Amino acid sequence: MKIIGTGSALPRKVVTNEDLTRFLDTSDEWIASRTGIRSRRVITDERLEDLATEAAEKALAEAGIAAADLDYILCSNIANYYVTPGLSCVVAGRIGAACPAVDINCACPGFLYAMDIAEAFFKTGRVRNVLIICAEEATRMLDWTDRSTCILFGDGAGAAVFAPGDNIKGVRMDCQPDVNTLYECRKLNHTPFLTKEEKDVPLQMNGREVFKFAVSTAVRDIESLLAEAGLTTDDIQYFMIHQANLRIIEAIRKRLGAPEEKFPSHVADHGNASSASCAILLDECNRKGLFKRGDKLIFSAFGAGLLSGAILMEW
Ligand code: UT7
């Protein structure tokens, strides 16, 4: 498959590090030096499906196809107002599509997992146009009194339309099962029969463990894709790394020995928008005209699961 259109949408509200110091024991200096984040976009009166719909419509417009031409919609999402139906169905209705629509919950590498699934659909010959949407309201999953997590995240949506092509040159997806390092739990409705205790648990994270996992798996995944394709970092124009933390991106870059200009980043302005991060970054780079036909891009992402993935793609 190949990408024929991209789109993204962000909430209006900008929350700076300074804004956080009004209710948290933190500082712009601590957040900026440990994460590279200066501000993030946060949902206020918008609904996530509004952002997802806007991103999808922009991607369809660039692709030059109508929603009715879509054969499949994949939506990467952890949580939104609807428990059911899936966000993919909600957005399908909003954009006027009538094709199969399915949600996947793969946390931060969700865009890569969705691309891997879409590529498999293309290989069966059953689809001609696939829309992937990544939409996340990560700020709704947090304990806003926990300064070690709530400073990291932002909200947003990114989308891309795919058509038949031979542009995916390598895929590596992994799961290292470990629930306790990064998770959130939601209490479901009570029943007259329930005998177990349950509670809502906002996002819990062992930051140091996730940091180590992120750097080591990203370097391993990228190096294995390069080796498989017989390429070196010099052959890659851009490394599209999940925008979790600038220090993570920098550690990956240094271990790969590649120059800074090959690592586009928006984490300073957006924070970590989970699976939407890579999709939004893709749209921003595309709209800036950064990519030339034939450029080689490597996407790499990691997160809860613990899941990781990397994809080598030609533009
Ligand atoms: O998509 C994947 C999502 N997850 C991630 O990206 C997380 C990856 N991990 C990280 O980005 C880093 O581990 C953090 C940014 C979360 C934390 O950075 P760190 O350098 O690992 O700091 P730390 O957790 O070791 O904490 C150092 C100190 C602690 O104080 P003490 O115990 O040394 O007195 C924390 O209490 O910094 C304190 N601290 C803060 N201080 C000011 C933790 N959060 C804050 C804060 N402001 N927001």
Side-chain angles (χ1 to χ4, degrees), residues 25-26 30 34-35 108 147-148 151-153 205 207-208 210-211 242 244-245 247-248 272 302:
D25 178 16
T26 189
W30 193 96
R34 300 283 176 133
T35 71
C108 301
R147 65 180 184 171
S148 69
I151 53 130
L152 296 170
F153 293 91
M205 179 174 69
R208 285 192 176 183
V210 177
F211 197 109
H242 170 48
N245 175 331
R247 275 168 60 221
I248 293 179
N272 176 353
F302 32 77

Side-chain angles (χ1 to χ4, degrees), residues 204-225:
Q204 304 292 306
M205 179 174 69
N206 181 331
R208 285 192 176 183
E209 282 308 309
V210 177
F211 197 109
K212 279 190 273 178
F213 169 78
V215 176
S216 60
T217 54
V219 172
R220 178 203 66 193
D221 293 351
I222 293 169
E223 283 179 341
S224 94
L225 281 184

